[in-house]
C-alpha cells in the first residue's frame, strides 16, 4: 500500500503545476488545463493518503507482531525450563533406582 502510494503521490508534481497554470490562464486553455490537472492531482492526493495509511497501519502491525514474538519467546523459555526440570527429575530417579549387584547367596534351600 505504501509503495503504491509513493508511486501515485508523484502525480502531484505534475497535477498541481498544471492546475496552477490553468488558474492563471483564461479562456479555453484554463478549462483544458483544469480538466487535465484535476484528475492528476486527485491521483496524487490518493497516493499521499495511501502513504499515510500504509505507515500508520504498518506500524500497528509491526507492534502486534513484536508483541506476539515476545510472547512466543517467553513461552519457549518457560517450556525449556520445564523440560530441564523434568530431565533433572528423570536423571535423579535413575540414580535412586535399585540396581542388582553380583553377590554370594547367604541361604541355600534344598528340597
Amino acid at each position: 500500500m505504501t509503495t503504491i502510494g509513493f508511486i501515485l503521490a508523484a502525480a502531484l508534481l505534475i497535477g498541481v503545476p498544471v492546475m496552477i497554470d490553468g488558474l492563471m490562464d483564461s479562456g479555453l486553455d484554463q478549462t483544458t488545463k483544469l480538466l487535465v490537472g484535476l484528475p492528476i492531482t486527485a491521483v496524487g492526493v490518493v497516493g499521499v493518503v495511501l502513504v499515510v495509511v500504509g505507515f500508520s497501519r504498518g506500524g500497528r502491525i509491526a507492534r502486534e507482531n513484536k508483541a506476539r514474538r515476545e510472547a512466543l519467546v517467553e513461552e519457549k523459555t518457560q517450556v525449556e525450563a520445564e523440560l530441564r526440570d523434568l530431565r533433572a527429575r528423570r536423571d535423579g530417579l535413575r540414580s535412586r533406582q535399585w540396581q542388582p549387584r553380583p553377590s554370594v547367596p547367604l541361604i541355600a534351600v534344598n528340597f
Side-chain angles (χ1 to χ4, degrees):
M1 182 183 305
T2 306
T3 305
I4 293 171
F6 274 119
I7 293 168
L8 294 178
L12 280 175
L13 297 173
I14 297 168
V16 171
V18 170
M19 282 186 58
I20 291 173
D21 189 36
L23 291 173
M24 291 182 177
D25 242 346
S26 62
L28 185 61
D29 286 344
Q30 179 183 17
T31 308
T32 306
K33 289 177 183 178
L34 287 177
L35 287 175
V36 170
L38 187 63
I40 295 173
T41 303
V43 168
V45 169
V46 168
V48 170
V49 169
L50 285 174
V51 168
V52 170
V53 170
F55 275 127
S56 65
R57 220 170 169 206
R60 183 177 46 86
I61 290 171
R63 285 189 300 274
E64 290 172 357
N65 287 342
K66 184 178 179 183
R68 186 176 41 192
R69 185 172 47 246
E70 288 174 356
L72 288 173
V73 167
E74 182 65 30
E75 182 181 347
K76 178 185 172 195
T77 304
Q78 289 174 354
V79 169
E80 286 176 344
E82 185 178 338
L83 180 62
R84 278 193 300 272
D85 185 42
L86 288 173
R87 284 184 178 166
R89 285 186 200 170
R90 186 183 65 188
D91 292 342
L93 289 176
R94 281 186 187 166
S95 64
R96 285 189 257 151
Q97 288 178 349
W98 180 76
Q99 296 175 358
R101 295 191 177 111
S103 63
V104 176
L106 298 176
I107 300 176
V109 179
N110 201 359
F111 292 101

